[in-house]
Structures are given as C-alpha cells and as structure tokens.
Amino acid sequence: MRSHRRPRLLAPLLLIPLISSCFASGGGDDSGSGDAGDGSRLRVALAFPPAEGLSPYGADATLLSRLAVTEGLTALDANGSAAPALAESWRQDGEKTWEFTLRDATFQDGSEVTPAAVAGSLTHATDAEPAPAALAGVTLTAKAEGDRVVRITTAEPDPVLPLRLSSPSLAVLSAKAYADKDRVDPVGTATGPFELTKVNGATSASLDRFDDYWGGRAQASGIDARFIADGTARANALRTGELDIAEAIPVAQAATLEKDTRRDTATTRTTSLLFNASSGTFEDARLRAAARAAVDTSVFAKDVYEGYADPGAGIYGPAVTWAEGKRTAPVGRAEAKKPSGATIDLATYDNRPELPEVAQVVKQQLEKAGFKVKLTVREYSRLEGDALAGKFDAFVLARNTLVDTGDPVAVLASDYTCDGGYNIAQLCDKGVDRAVAEAEKTADTAKRQDAAMAAEARVLGSDAVVPLVHQRIITGVAGSVQGVILDPYERTLVGTGTRR
C-alpha cells in the first residue's frame, strides 16, 4: 500500500464579503458601506473545532474564511467563476504566467498589502508540508512586479490559476504571520473584515471588527465564535437564545426550530461511500462491484436526510448546475463477485450528525448482501489520519467537491489519483490518472467540464466511490439576525453586512 501525505482539506467549508451579495443572505442589506456604528457582537457556532491550530494550509482554512478573517487574491462568485478580492484584476501573459493587480488594502497588523507581501505569503504556502490541497500537483513562483502587480509563474500551464487562488488555503497573510518558523499565526495578520484576537484551543475564538477593511466597515462589532461538534447542542443553543447563527443543523433537529430560523441551501457537498482500493477486502474490484450493487442509494435523501438532500447522481450534484447534462455512464466496471462473508471495517465521523445514520444503513445493506461489517464512529479530527493511511476498508465521507479551488477537476486529482493528497479511497488507476491529467490541461471552460465528466465516469467505473446523496445544508439563524451568507460552496457564513 502506498503512503499518502496528510491532507489539507475538509470537508469540511468561506467566501469573501466583497461578493457576498451573489449568494442568498438571511435578510436585509448586506452592504458594509457607510457608518456602521458600534454594532452588536455576533454569537456564532461552527461544527468543526480547529484540528490544526488554525493553520491556513489545512482543514482549518475554511473556519477562518467562514468567519471573514482571511481572503485570497480572488474569490468565487455565484457561478463558480473567479471574482476580484485582494486582486482587483488580472491578465495572462503567455501560457505559464499571470499578472495580478492589487487593490489598496491593509493587513490587520497595520502593514500594507504590497506585491512583496503577497508574493511572500504565497511562497510560504508553496513551501508548506504537506502542500495545501489547492496546490496539489502545481508548482508556482510568485514575485513582486512594481508597486501594484504580483507576477505568478507556474511550472506547467495552469488555465484555472485565478480559480485556484480563491482557495481558503491560499489566503494572504502579513509577514508577521510567519515569524515563527514552526507555525503560521493568523491572529491579527489577515485582511478580512473581522480580526482574530484570541483563540481558546478547540473551544472558542474571539474576533473584533477590523475598521480599516478595504471593503467597508462591518456592521457587527465582533464575533464570539464557539466550536461545537455536537449538532444537537448547536440547535439547542440557538433555540435558547445563546447563539445568533449555528451552522450545519442536523436534519433531526430542524423541526425543533421555528420555521423562520432555519435556512436550507443546496450545496456542492456530496456524501459518498469510499472503498479502499489498495488493500484489504476491496482491493478486489469484483468485491467493490458487489458492494456498490448492494447499496440502495434511493433511501438516503428521503429517509436519513428527510428531504434536505437530493439522491446521489455522481461526484457532482445538482448544485453544480452544468454537470447533469454532461454526465456519461461509468466506464470499466468489473463483474461482481459473491462476498461470501468478506469482512469490512467501515468508518465515519459524527461532526455531521447524519453520517453515523448513513453508515448504519450502509452497514445493514452490506450485511444483507453477505459482508461482515464492523462500524467505527469518531470525531473527524481523531479519524482523518487513519482514513488517509488506509486503515479502513470503507469510509462514509461528506465532501464539498468545489471547496478547495472551485475547479471541478481539482477534487478528482486530490481524491482519486495515485498521488492525490486526500485519496481516502486509496485509488491508483492508470485510466483515471490519464483522464484527470487530460482534464487538468484543458483550458476552455466547457471543454474542461466535458473532460471532468469523462474523468468522473472513469472514477465511478472503478467502484472506489458510491455517491449516496447530495446535501442541502441547514443553517440556524436567529430572527433578529440579518445578512447571513448562505453559500453553496460553504466558504462563507458572515460578512460586512451580517448583523443583529
């Protein structure tokens, strides 16, 4: 079994306040312009506690962006295209070089956002070990060019570099963030409308409004963030008035909230069953085929998610609006083989409360087909390392397919190729790698989408993944709160216009 780098991900969830009006908000004007006064502090609960000390290079990157702390050179708009953020414009200069023109902006420590500072920040990201997921398979060099321009050159042509730079893991931080060579410190060193001032381990964090934010002064004076992995506890705290915003309300708790306090949003998150294709029971493609055939995906959206989801159609769901019309049949599936009591170690995590129930249903279905199944459920941060090391035969994962870069090809490269940094399926298939490589080098948007779907057909044909359901995320919002950002990419939650 080949080794894998520890990922920079998850699943987990951050957009930029500049483009927050592109997404549905919780009501009211989402503009941060004008005099916001002192404002009230927002009380926000996030589902995933920091797993890596709020490093911008891993899963914690989305925590920082959802709280409007960090930004990159670009952002994603509602259509999944690159939009201006710290860079107000960009242009391509040859196949391998892009020039990004910076806007006037200030870091939260008072220093200016200069081309040298941006180039330095991106250089630190490229040197990170392991590399951020957005840079998987990409080598880039960033250099200052005059007073306003950052020139970025890639080793190979990268037609989606502006999209790639929207990744939360490529947030731009000031030089002060890198003073300690052993860690990156986002406290007071980012550029967003809210400044991280205190972090209490994996329990809570305090943020104050950054009054010099280039996009306008935020209407809330700060944020008191709590990290609450238990979904029932998040719902209870919202219901009793302890919180203003609670993300990822469990489906089972939705009915306990008043109708006007729950908002559901179609997302680019797909819950899938992944099979370890490199070792153990499912190294045999015929047993993967048998397990895939045994799983009845029709029950999950209706029964487990109680209608807050869509049936699994592929790696990309209905929130990726172009995918359905381009989807083709899986390629290269093996003939199924009788399980004959083959044993399976199945695992999932409970940060998303529906997943243990999904896994339990999967367990029952596989046992009915003749497999013997042991189920393991832990908190995500205690499970990730074992999953990436291939210690389970099967894994139920909720994965946002566009969170890392906004590019549909990126999730295929990171999750299903031989060298992928988030390859829980442990898949190493030459046909898949070739299809993904072909998609990666395609520049035209429509043709790149076609190539992504051709690669998806190869991945699905390997039976290393069974898409179960495409999620709608439920956000709990107190009646007094306006301007919450309901982002299908799960990168943003609050912005300059979020207030109570």
Side-chain angles (χ1 to χ4, degrees):
M1 177 175 57
R2 61 190 191 290
S3 62
H4 289 284
R5 298 168 297 177
R6 181 172 167 79
R8 292 335 210 178
L9 140 103
L10 188 129
L13 320 136
L14 326 168
L15 229 123
I16 284 91
L18 167 70
I19 61 168
S20 61
S21 59
C22 295
F23 302 105
S25 73
D29 177 19
D30 198 31
S31 169
S33 61
D35 184 4
D38 289 336
S40 299
R41 293 183 67 83
L42 295 168
R43 301 165 299 170
V44 178
L46 301 182
F48 286 83
E52 298 166 330
L54 287 178
S55 166
Y57 301 143
D60 294 353
T62 51
L63 299 179
L64 295 170
S65 66
R66 287 179 74 72
L67 292 171
V69 174
T70 54
E71 303 172 295
L73 286 178
T74 62
L76 287 184
D77 68 13
N79 296 316
S81 299
L86 290 175
E88 61 183 15
S89 64
W90 52 88
R91 72 179 188 91
Q92 193 165 7
D93 182 14
E95 285 190 333
K96 300 179 182 179
T97 300
W98 297 73
E99 291 186 345
F100 292 82
T101 301
L102 303 181
R103 67 175 73 251
D104 289 332
T106 304
F107 288 110
Q108 292 161 353
D109 61 10
S111 61
E112 291 186 14
V113 177
T114 63
V118 172
S121 185
L122 291 176
T123 298
H124 280 286
T126 63
D127 292 340
E129 288 290 343
L135 293 180
V138 176
T139 301
L140 64 80
T141 303
K143 294 183 178 180
E145 187 95 350
D147 294 334
R148 298 187 62 204
V149 174
V150 177
R151 189 173 174 88
I152 300 178
T153 302
T154 54
E156 299 295 331
D158 186 6
V160 295
L161 183 64
L163 264 185
R164 191 180 305 282
L165 292 173
S166 74
S167 170
S169 63
L170 299 182
V172 174
L173 302 175
S174 72
K176 184 180 176 182
Y178 311 101
D180 184 339
K181 66 178 182 179
D182 295 324
R183 63 183 295 267
V184 180
D185 188 1
V187 175
T189 60
T191 61
F194 291 101
E195 177 182 352
L196 195 61
T197 58
K198 185 177 182 182
V199 180
N200 300 308
T203 304
S204 64
S206 297
L207 302 89
D208 290 340
R209 177 172 53 210
F210 176 43
D211 288 340
D212 292 330
Y213 177 57
W214 63 264
R217 193 165 178 247
Q219 295 186 21
S221 61
I223 299 173
D224 296 313
R226 295 165 60 188
F227 305 110
I228 305 176
D230 186 277
T232 300
R234 290 195 301 276
N236 287 341
L238 181 78
R239 191 168 51 249
T240 58
E242 297 175 44
L243 293 174
D244 300 309
I245 305 167
E247 71 168 7
I249 296 295
V251 167
Q253 294 295 317
T256 69
L257 301 180
E258 295 293 333
K259 186 176 181 180
D260 63 353
T261 65
R262 61 180 190 264
R263 320 284 165 77
D264 68 283
T265 310
T267 72
T268 55
R269 181 174 297 278
T270 296
T271 296
S272 298
L273 174 61
L274 302 171
F275 296 129
N276 183 339
S278 286
S279 65
T281 295
F282 291 124
E283 185 177 3
D284 188 338
R286 297 172 298 170
L287 286 176
R288 297 201 299 271
R292 181 256 307 158
V295 176
D296 178 4
T297 61
S298 66
V299 304
F300 296 101
K302 180 181 178 182
D303 296 340
V304 178
Y305 287 89
E306 300 179 17
Y308 288 103
D310 298 293
I315 292 171
Y316 314 103
V320 185
T321 54
W322 52 263
E324 183 58 35
K326 295 175 178 284
R327 181 163 285 121
T328 58
V331 174
R333 276 183 167 163
E335 291 284 339
K337 171 184 177 181
K338 286 187 177 181
S340 302
T343 60
I344 301 169
D345 283 328
L346 170 66
T348 194
Y349 47 100
D350 55 10
N351 302 74
R352 298 185 181 277
E354 296 80 20
L355 295 188
E357 186 176 352
V358 169
Q360 188 62 45
V361 173
V362 168
K363 178 177 184 290
Q364 293 168 357
Q365 292 180 346
L366 292 177
E367 287 175 336
K368 185 177 180 180
F371 291 96
K372 293 181 180 179
V373 185
K374 174 190 174 184
L375 177 59
T376 297
V377 179
R378 299 181 206 151
E379 197 273 326
Y380 180 78
S381 64
R382 297 176 53 238
L383 201 66
E384 183 188 69
D386 286 347
L388 285 155
K391 293 186 178 180
F392 304 111
D393 297 304
F395 196 85
V396 174
L397 175 74
R399 175 75 155 120
N400 191 320
T401 57
L402 298 182
V403 71
D404 289 330
T405 64
D407 172 30
V409 181
V411 71
L412 301 177
S414 66
D415 291 21
Y416 302 109
T417 63
C418 294
D419 294 326
Y422 198 65
N423 190 350
I424 290 176
Q426 313 289 308
L427 181 63
C428 190
D429 180 289
K430 292 180 180 178
V432 169
D433 276 24
R434 281 195 298 267
V436 172
E438 183 67 27
E440 285 180 319
K441 70 182 183 183
T442 304
D444 177 81
T445 299
K447 291 180 179 178
R448 191 177 183 89
Q449 292 170 351
D450 291 338
M453 298 312 291
E456 182 202 58
R458 287 280 179 183
V459 173
L460 295 177
S462 75
D463 282 329
V465 56
V466 180
L468 302 176
V469 73
H470 305 294
Q471 288 184 236
R472 302 181 69 85
I473 195 165
I474 305 170
T475 306
V477 182
S480 61
V481 176
Q482 296 180 304
V484 174
I485 303 167
L486 305 178
D487 173 15
Y489 306 109
E490 300 181 75
R491 292 180 169 201
T492 309
L493 182 63
V494 298
T496 54
T498 312
R499 64 192 183 278
R500 66 180 176 96

